[in-house]
């Protein structure tokens, strides 16, 4: 017959294995700049020109300390963008280009960026590890 201490040890081992395997239903991954079809250097210039830092805190962008939108640090490691959409380069480009089409009541405005500007901005944001 097992002792209480053995039962607790077994339960703890099982819990550790279960927790170690738990990933919230999503594989942890880092999004890639290369999949955007854009240039991170041009993206940085686009982010500055369109004053994205008025709403967001964006590492590497001088005076981008906005607090209205979410901070964009470590965007490449996030599971979702816009609160609802898997963080893929396709979704991020579409979100930047036309957020209202993806989530009609979002506070993120349509800034009128072209597809290439959106790809470039996404490329820069994916450099933020």
């Amino acid at each position: 017959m097992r002792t209480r201490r053995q039962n607790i040890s077994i339960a703890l081992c099982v819990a550790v294995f279960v927790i170690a395997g738990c990933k919230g239903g999503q594989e942890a991954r880092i999004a890639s700049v290369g999949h955007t079809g854009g240039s991170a250097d041009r993206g940085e210039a686009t982010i500055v020109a369109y004053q994205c830092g008025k709403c967001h805190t964006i590492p590497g962008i001088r005076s981008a300390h906005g607090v209205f939108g979410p901070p964009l640090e470590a965007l490449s490691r996030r599971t979702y963008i816009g609160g609802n959409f898997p963080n893929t380069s396709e979704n991020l480009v579409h979100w930047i280009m036309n957020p209202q089409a993806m989530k009609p009541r979002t506070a993120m405005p349509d800034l009128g960026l072209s597809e290439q500007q959106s790809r470039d901005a996404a490329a820069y944001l994916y450099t933020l590890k």
Side-chain angles (χ1 to χ4, degrees):
M1 185 156 221
R2 288 186 213 159
T3 67
R4 179 180 156 107
R5 181 173 278 174
Q6 287 173 324
N7 286 337
I8 291 172
S9 294
I10 291 169
L12 285 173
C13 286
V14 169
V16 167
F17 284 116
V18 169
I19 291 169
C22 185
K23 293 182 182 171
Q26 297 290 325
E27 281 296 316
R29 61 173 166 59
I30 295 180
S32 169
V33 173
H35 290 95
T36 64
S39 158
D41 290 334
R42 286 193 314 253
E44 181 177 2
T46 298
I47 288 168
V48 170
Y50 281 82
Q51 301 181 354
C52 301
K54 295 261 185 197
C55 292
H56 299 280
T57 298
I58 310 168
I61 305 292
R62 198 170 85 209
S63 72
H65 304 292
V67 295
F68 184 73
L72 299 180
E73 64 212 0
L75 186 78
S76 66
R77 294 185 288 153
R78 294 189 188 174
T79 305
Y80 293 101
I81 55 171
N84 299 75
F85 309 99
N87 186 2
T88 65
S89 56
E90 182 179 311
N91 281 344
L92 182 57
V93 169
H94 188 68
W95 177 259
I96 293 169
M97 193 165 62
N98 192 352
Q100 301 292 325
M102 292 179 76
K103 191 174 182 181
R105 297 187 63 164
T106 185
M108 172 87 173
D110 181 344
L111 298 173
L113 274 72
S114 69
E115 182 176 347
Q116 188 58 56
Q117 288 171 315
S118 299
R119 289 184 180 284
D120 294 338
Y124 177 81
L125 293 174
Y126 280 153
T127 67
L128 305 176
K129 311 279 185 213

